[in-house]
Amino acid sequence: MARRYLNKTILPFAAAAFLLAPAAYADDFSMFEDAPSIKLSGELIQKLGVKPAKAEYRESVKKLKLPGIVQADETSSFSVNSKFGGWIEKLYVDYRGRNVKKGERVAEIYSPEAVAAQEEYLAFLKHSANISPSSGGAYGNIFAEDARRLTESARQRLKYWDITEKQIQEIEKTGRSKRTITLYSPASGYVTAKNVSEGMKTEPGMELFSAVSLANLWIIADVYEEELKHIRVGSKANVTLAGIPNVIYELTADYIYPEVSQRTRTLKVRFLVNNRSGLLKPSMYTEILAEFPAGRVLAVPSDAVIDDGRRKIVFVSLGEGRFEPREILTGAQTDGFTEVRKGLSEGETVARGANFLLDSEAQLKGISPVKGF
């Protein structure tokens, strides 16, 4: 009896309610028919200043801010040494850190060996002057040529010892040997090591001083592993000094070291900089702003992207004044554009210029961004 009552009484009412439900609640469910979006009139779009921008591929430049340390250019280092033994009688460069110029005298050395070589040259020179092709009879030309060769050989020996042409000419002019030989700096720079003192005995090949030029310097920067793909030899960069922020130097990456540091997981990149001003000094700390080509990437104007701290959102135009909030995955920002890694396709149009107003409107209507990836 109860079952017959259920079939004849309750079930018809349930079926009727089910059939009537779609019509009664159609408005409540219509919001699920399309993707969540907001719609603005053309007048409001113009008043808010909403502007369209297409997602397009463009050449990207990766900008990096790198810490760097100034170092001396190792290729400009040089040393001063004597090629003969002796004793230092006068030292003109008498402390480490002193600046020297190319051709500046650095020391005077007394060397019995050098004195003997000078006397030998003067003897050959005198002998050669007293022999003429006509004075030796049939062998006059041979004797004169032998004397000339011996004289030239003795002269060349003095030059091999770095005795300058000017010093040799002075020996020839006076006809007397010089007791001490003056050594000159082969280049300009500052003395990094001083290994002798006055009165000290020297041996052939002994390094008296070592020095390095500061005309050009290296700036060694540390680049993290994830940024290695952007590094290129020849890339341009600007550098500022920590102590002199208003001075900017232009420099070029000229070498990438082949080994990654196991401790810091960084790679060293060398930048060459001209130091005409003389303000740069070895061991100075600098900050390098470098640019490296990063290839073609999909990008939109940066002012089209909203960053709420948790995600990046753009408003994609669906046409007829409708905009869909969409979450995207972004990359680097360069020259007012933001790289889009996921969430947008080439040619899609996004809104720019009033995104925060659009975001506020979407939040008031309870519309959450669609995840684009």
Side-chain angles (χ1 to χ4, degrees):
M1 183 71 182
R3 183 176 298 175
R4 188 181 303 130
Y5 175 79
L6 180 64
N7 292 337
K8 292 183 177 181
T9 307
I10 298 178
L11 289 180
F13 280 104
F18 178 77
L19 294 173
L20 291 174
Y25 299 100
D27 292 339
D28 294 336
F29 285 91
S30 62
M31 58 184 292
F32 295 104
E33 293 178 359
D34 299 315
S37 62
I38 59 174
K39 185 171 183 178
L40 303 178
S41 65
E43 182 181 355
L44 186 56
I45 290 175
Q46 187 174 5
K47 186 178 294 185
L48 293 177
V50 177
K51 299 177 182 178
K54 287 187 179 295
E56 297 177 330
Y57 280 93
R58 56 186 287 114
E59 293 296 331
S60 175
V61 176
K62 177 69 174 178
K63 292 186 177 181
L64 300 178
K65 186 178 288 187
L66 309 171
I69 302 295
V70 179
Q71 293 186 10
D73 182 350
E74 294 176 8
T75 63
S76 68
S77 61
F78 61 94
S79 63
V80 179
N81 54 62
S82 63
K83 296 180 179 178
F84 49 83
W87 287 264
I88 296 179
E89 291 210 346
K90 180 66 177 176
L91 203 60
Y92 297 104
V93 178
D94 51 2
Y95 61 90
R96 187 171 63 87
R98 185 184 185 281
N99 287 311
V100 294
K101 294 181 179 180
K102 182 178 181 179
E104 180 181 350
R105 58 185 182 176
V106 296
E108 288 186 12
I109 297 180
Y110 164 65
S111 170
E113 188 179 8
V115 172
Q118 294 176 71
E119 293 291 348
E120 180 184 62
Y121 172 60
L122 288 172
F124 283 131
L125 188 65
K126 184 177 180 180
H127 177 67
S128 179
N130 292 331
I131 295 180
S132 64
S134 59
S135 61
Y139 298 99
N141 288 332
I142 297 176
F143 293 152
E145 181 63 19
D146 287 345
R148 187 191 66 77
R149 288 181 178 178
L150 289 171
T151 303
E152 185 60 31
S153 177
R155 193 178 198 277
Q156 192 64 40
R157 183 184 181 188
L158 296 179
K159 296 183 73 173
Y160 287 155
W161 281 352
D162 290 339
I163 298 176
T164 66
E165 181 66 28
K166 185 177 180 180
Q167 289 174 311
I168 295 174
Q169 289 178 0
E170 186 177 351
I171 294 169
E172 293 171 348
K173 183 178 179 181
T174 60
R176 294 184 298 177
S177 61
K178 297 177 66 67
R179 184 176 181 278
T180 61
I181 300 297
T182 303
L183 299 183
Y184 298 90
S185 175
S188 298
Y190 86 99
V191 177
T192 57
K194 169 181 167 289
N195 304 316
V196 293
S197 302
E198 285 189 4
M200 193 175 197
K201 188 178 187 303
T202 65
E203 299 295 337
M206 177 179 176
E207 183 180 75
L208 309 182
F209 310 95
S210 61
V212 65
S213 172
L214 298 183
N216 292 300
L217 294 172
W218 291 345
I219 298 180
I220 308 298
D222 289 317
V223 181
Y224 287 103
E225 264 187 301
E226 60 269 20
E227 296 170 339
L228 298 184
K229 60 183 179 181
H230 302 297
I231 304 300
R232 299 287 187 279
V233 172
S235 298
K236 303 298 181 182
N238 292 327
V239 65
T240 58
L241 306 178
I244 315 174
N246 295 328
V247 177
I248 299 176
Y249 289 87
E250 292 184 357
L251 56 160
T252 304
D254 73 331
Y255 185 70
I256 300 173
Y257 288 81
E259 186 176 359
V260 175
S261 170
Q262 293 185 1
R263 183 174 61 85
T264 62
R265 309 310 305 170
T266 58
L267 184 77
K268 293 190 179 298
V269 179
R270 189 178 75 196
F271 292 88
L272 182 65
V273 58
N274 187 286
N275 190 33
R276 282 190 296 266
S277 66
L279 294 176
L280 290 172
K281 308 293 183 185
S283 298
M284 272 186 170
Y285 178 82
T286 64
E287 189 174 76
I288 299 172
L289 299 176
E291 295 185 356
F292 303 100
R296 287 175 58 80
V297 298
L298 186 67
V300 295
S302 295
D303 60 2
V305 182
I306 297 175
D307 184 356
D308 65 2
R310 296 179 297 112
R311 55 195 175 182
K312 308 293 193 307
I313 302 169
V314 293
F315 282 84
V316 181
S317 175
L318 302 178
E320 298 179 353
R322 295 171 61 224
F323 297 91
E324 174 193 89
R326 187 184 301 175
E327 182 181 351
I328 61 173
L329 183 64
T330 63
Q333 293 188 25
T334 305
D335 297 330
F337 285 84
T338 298
E339 176 187 355
V340 180
R341 294 180 176 174
K342 291 183 179 179
L344 279 177
S345 300
E346 183 181 10
E348 285 193 288
T349 302
V350 297
R352 56 180 300 201
N355 296 58
F356 285 101
L357 295 175
L358 294 175
D359 187 47
S360 299
E361 181 71 13
Q363 292 185 35
L364 287 174
K365 293 185 177 182
I367 299 175
S368 298
V370 176
K371 199 174 186 67
F373 55 93

